[in-house]
Amino acid sequence: MWISKTVYPSPGFYFEVKLGNETYSFKEVSGIASEITTEEIAEGGENRFKYKVPSGIKYNNLELKRGLVPKGSNLFTWINNTLQQGFSKPIKPKELEVSLLNEDGKKTLTWNFSGTWPVGWNSSSLNSMSNEVLIESISLSYNFFTSNIIK
């Protein structure tokens, strides 16, 4: 008897983030995007036509969100050294990997970000009337990313 193996879209809720040699848990990762920027060139002598030509590739900032982790982690130290030291120390870019995991916890798709460094940090609002975890948001700039499907 032949049984068809149906392929379903991957769920987006089971993933991990690896920064250097350490793995971190985040509630949300966004900003995995790239687009080709264009430039318009007008045709000489003919004002009705403009041509769009590629001028480069643009990457969004990577946004990571998680429950606020107390001081002491290497991630906190890296962010603090970059954003709070007034450029008294050089910015130290790191390699970052986001991996989508299957139901067995194995990587099915990875995005590798090159030259990653923090450009922003903020926390969610403090509200005495709510019973929610304080969320920190980290914005990271990077040079480029590659993706890899793992079979």
Side-chain angles (χ1 to χ4, degrees), residues 15-79:
F15 60 91
E16 69 180 15
V17 176
K18 189 173 180 182
L19 184 66
N21 294 325
E22 296 183 345
T23 301
Y24 295 92
S25 295
F26 286 90
K27 95 179 200 61
E28 183 179 335
V29 175
S30 61
I32 302 174
S34 63
E35 67 180 76
I36 294 177
T37 57
T38 60
E39 179 181 333
E40 285 189 355
I41 299 175
E43 183 176 334
E46 178 62 70
N47 294 330
R48 296 180 298 155
F49 302 107
K50 289 186 180 177
Y51 297 97
K52 286 188 179 184
V53 295
S55 62
I57 298 177
K58 177 183 171 186
Y59 298 99
N60 294 344
N61 283 343
L62 194 61
E63 303 289 333
L64 308 176
K65 294 182 181 181
R66 69 178 186 164
L68 183 65
V69 175
K71 184 178 178 179
S73 74
N74 288 333
L75 178 63
F76 177 88
T77 302
W78 181 54
I79 292 168

Side-chain angles (χ1 to χ4, degrees), residues 49-126:
F49 302 107
K50 289 186 180 177
Y51 297 97
K52 286 188 179 184
V53 295
S55 62
I57 298 177
K58 177 183 171 186
Y59 298 99
N60 294 344
N61 283 343
L62 194 61
E63 303 289 333
L64 308 176
K65 294 182 181 181
R66 69 178 186 164
L68 183 65
V69 175
K71 184 178 178 179
S73 74
N74 288 333
L75 178 63
F76 177 88
T77 302
W78 181 54
I79 292 168
N80 190 54
N81 286 344
T82 304
L83 297 176
Q84 304 296 323
Q85 301 299 320
F87 300 117
S88 62
K89 297 179 181 178
I91 294 174
K92 295 182 179 176
K94 297 186 180 241
E95 302 305 303
L96 185 134
E97 178 184 273
V98 176
S99 299
L100 187 62
L101 308 175
N102 66 14
E103 61 276 1
D104 298 323
K106 294 183 180 174
K107 296 176 183 180
T108 60
L109 178 61
T110 61
W111 294 270
N112 295 293
F113 298 87
S114 178
T116 307
W117 53 282
V119 294
W121 177 93
N122 67 55
S123 72
S124 58
S125 299
L126 304 175

